[in-house]
Amino acid sequence: MLKELRIQNFKGWKDTGTIRLAPISLFFGANSSGKSSIGQFLIMLKQTVESPDRKAVFYPGGKSSAVQLGSYQEMVFHRDPKNKIAFDYRWSLMESLKFKDLLSDKTFSGNELDFSAEIELSDARKNLLQVAEFQYRLLDNNMQSLSINFSRKSNKNEYTVLAEQYKLVRKKMRVWALKDVVRFYGFPDEVVAYYQNAEFVQSLNFAHEKLFSSIYYLGPLRTKAERLYTWSGIAPESVGFAGENTIAAILAARDRKISLGYRRPAKQFEEIIALKFKEMGLIEEFRVSPISKQRQDYEVKVRTKGSGDWVDLPDVGFGISQVLPVLVQCFYAPAGSIILMEQPEIHLHPSAQSALADVIIEVINSRENGNDRNIQVVIETHSEHFLRRLQRRIAEDAISQKEVSVYFANNSKTPATLEPLQIDVFGNIKNWPENFFGDEMGDIAEHAKAALKKRMQQNT
């Protein structure tokens, strides 16, 4: 689970400041305020980690990628190539990282990692990116166990390794320069060959890759519903960033059972999806059925409230097909997942938007095979109703305010700022931004004035 994030000199952000990330993290703001850029940055890093090119510092994406950010000049703050993109994030490990220094016989361990890096354009090779430096800090219950830094020498395409609380011992052989970096985060194999006791850096590389393999993204533009879906029997990694694998995910998860909280009964995966639809007031029943035993084609049928007829998914409201990938991804993701979503409430009426907040609370409390799923959900949204329901549930003690983190992207001044909203134990927001959801009181006052003026005119 991501605990903290800070991004500097990326797109519209000079500096986001340190962002506290909770099991439920929300980002609000006007259009083009920069709130989407935060998720895009994480997805770009995920694309880079999964890129086959180990020497590509960043992979900004291609035609089939979740995000396509263009060149460095297009993504760096103020499009100034002299700026360095810097970032820092901290995450908790599903399993503690533990290793022994064979030379000193000392054991090092930690349950969190903190990573920071600076990326810049190369002076010698224009338009090529290079890592200025990166650093890992291994933390055990907030106490640093060790720190190791990989930084570029001034005016050279060579790197040095410096460690704190850990003594690296060089092998007795001819000294050579360390020149390579694995993407934006990785120690090259030469570091292990260079030192007698540097094998642990491979564990740091792997922990980083494991973090980004746990991140799943669902964008705001989901695929439209179809009348038939083909499934070959393969379980997809996720529903896809446009929801294109949603039905395949449902079919692949039919044998899974999910509990919506401690001591709550586990239910079949498809039953959970149908139940959430009903509780949100969208449909009464939902099912996915094969066309025939001889074919790999499936149809999705739903029964709406007050109707006895089953109809195809494309024949009901558009909002149902748009929220289906949201529900499926939330319960399909494996334990320890971080789910990034943009506007999950899109095309839903206010009541359903409020109910969706309750679903997300159940997602972070859900269990499978007797264990907590430890799901983190990071949402970019415009929904006042979603937030209001979370505030209510905090006041009702259905969720702790510590489990919710809310930020407002304020672009009313330059550079833009990311302002944390302070929520107390009663669900109140202490520092509500001006016109956060529009000027509601102003609209009410002006409406009353206009109505009074019209009545006076009618009476004369």
Side-chain angles (χ1 to χ4, degrees), residues 292-443:
S292 71
K293 294 182 179 180
Q294 291 76 33
R295 296 176 58 182
Q296 296 178 323
D297 295 323
Y298 293 78
E299 60 182 359
V300 180
K301 294 285 188 179
V302 299
R303 187 175 66 81
T304 57
K305 191 174 182 178
S307 173
D309 298 327
W310 288 85
V311 298
D312 291 330
L313 189 59
D315 298 326
V316 293
F318 190 59
I320 293 173
S321 65
Q322 294 299 287
V323 78
L324 177 59
V326 174
L327 298 179
V328 174
Q329 181 62 77
C330 283
F331 293 106
Y332 184 75
S337 293
I338 302 166
I339 303 172
L340 308 182
M341 292 191 289
E342 291 188 57
Q343 300 178 49
E345 79 284 354
I346 197 168
H347 298 295
L348 293 180
H349 61 78
S351 176
Q353 291 181 31
S354 298
L356 183 58
D358 285 328
V359 174
I360 299 301
I361 293 173
E362 289 180 317
V363 168
I364 68 166
N365 291 328
S366 62
R367 298 166 62 86
E368 188 171 8
N369 300 322
N371 299 313
D372 291 331
R373 292 177 66 228
N374 290 315
I375 301 297
Q376 181 177 30
V377 187
V378 181
I379 297 174
E380 184 243 295
T381 179
H382 294 286
S383 177
E384 175 183 5
H385 309 286
F386 189 101
L387 178 58
R388 294 291 193 189
R389 179 59 58 87
L390 283 180
Q391 291 178 261
R392 171 185 166 184
R393 297 308 186 212
I394 290 171
E396 295 172 343
D397 289 329
I399 185 173
S400 165
Q401 89 270 25
K402 294 181 180 179
E403 295 179 288
V404 178
S405 176
V406 184
Y407 282 83
F408 176 70
N410 187 352
N411 64 345
S412 62
K413 49 190 175 182
T414 303
T417 57
L418 195 61
E419 302 172 1
L421 302 190
Q422 301 168 14
I423 305 178
D424 63 19
V425 294
F426 306 105
N428 298 314
I429 295 178
K430 300 178 181 179
N431 57 333
W432 196 275
E434 186 178 358
N435 297 333
F436 185 29
F437 287 117
D439 186 10
E440 182 179 7
M441 293 305 298
D443 286 340

Side-chain angles (χ1 to χ4, degrees), residues 75-292:
M75 71 175 78
V76 73
F77 181 68
H78 278 181
R79 298 197 170 206
D80 185 351
K82 294 180 182 178
N83 284 331
K84 296 180 182 180
I85 294 179
F87 48 100
D88 185 335
Y89 41 85
R90 181 174 173 178
W91 74 98
S92 57
L93 303 170
M94 289 285 287
E95 297 180 359
S96 293
L97 182 60
K98 188 175 182 179
F99 57 88
K100 180 182 286 188
D101 178 5
L102 299 178
L103 299 182
S104 67
D105 208 36
K106 183 178 179 181
T107 298
F108 296 81
S109 64
N111 53 13
E112 290 185 344
L113 275 172
D114 183 281
F115 175 81
S116 59
E118 285 189 352
I119 310 301
E120 62 187 0
L121 279 180
S122 170
D123 293 330
R125 297 174 291 173
K126 295 296 184 182
N127 299 323
L128 289 180
L129 297 186
Q130 64 185 15
V131 176
E133 70 171 320
F134 65 71
Q135 178 175 317
Y136 285 88
R137 294 171 60 235
L138 180 63
L139 306 165
D140 193 33
N141 297 321
N142 292 320
M143 296 294 292
Q144 181 174 296
S145 297
L146 67 83
S147 171
I148 183 166
N149 177 280
F150 197 66
S151 57
R152 179 174 171 265
K153 294 180 180 179
S154 299
N155 301 319
K156 290 185 178 181
N157 189 31
E158 298 177 3
Y159 290 84
T160 59
V161 183
L162 293 175
E164 295 179 6
Q165 298 166 266
Y166 189 96
K167 185 178 179 181
L168 289 169
V169 179
R170 187 172 62 82
K171 291 182 179 179
K172 295 180 180 179
M173 59 177 67
R174 183 175 63 85
V175 177
W176 69 86
L178 298 172
K179 294 186 177 182
D180 293 325
V181 179
V182 179
R183 304 182 181 95
F184 63 88
Y185 64 91
F187 295 94
D189 296 336
E190 287 77 11
V191 172
V192 177
Y194 196 92
Y195 294 98
Q196 297 181 39
N197 57 342
E199 292 88 353
F200 73 93
V201 301
Q202 295 176 328
S203 298
L204 298 177
N205 289 357
F206 179 71
H208 214 137
E209 291 163 1
K210 194 172 181 180
L211 166 67
F212 282 96
S213 70
S214 72
I215 294 179
Y216 300 94
Y217 169 71
L218 183 61
L221 302 176
R222 272 89 78 179
T223 55
K224 65 179 182 179
E226 299 179 12
R227 297 194 180 276
L228 290 179
Y229 293 88
T230 300
W231 182 54
S232 62
I234 298 175
E237 183 182 14
S238 71
V239 301
F241 53 80
E244 64 274 14
N245 301 323
T246 298
I247 304 305
I250 293 174
L251 293 168
R254 277 188 159 172
D255 293 334
R256 291 174 58 183
K257 288 188 175 182
I258 305 289
S259 165
L260 298 178
Y262 182 63
R263 290 188 174 180
R264 295 182 66 177
K267 299 179 183 294
Q268 294 283 350
F269 187 89
E270 193 171 328
E271 184 181 356
I272 290 287
I273 303 303
L275 177 64
K276 295 304 107 183
F277 264 132
K278 186 173 182 178
E279 290 176 352
M280 292 175 69
L282 297 174
I283 57 176
E284 283 293 301
E285 293 185 85
F286 168 91
R287 70 187 183 198
V288 182
S289 307
I291 298 296
S292 71

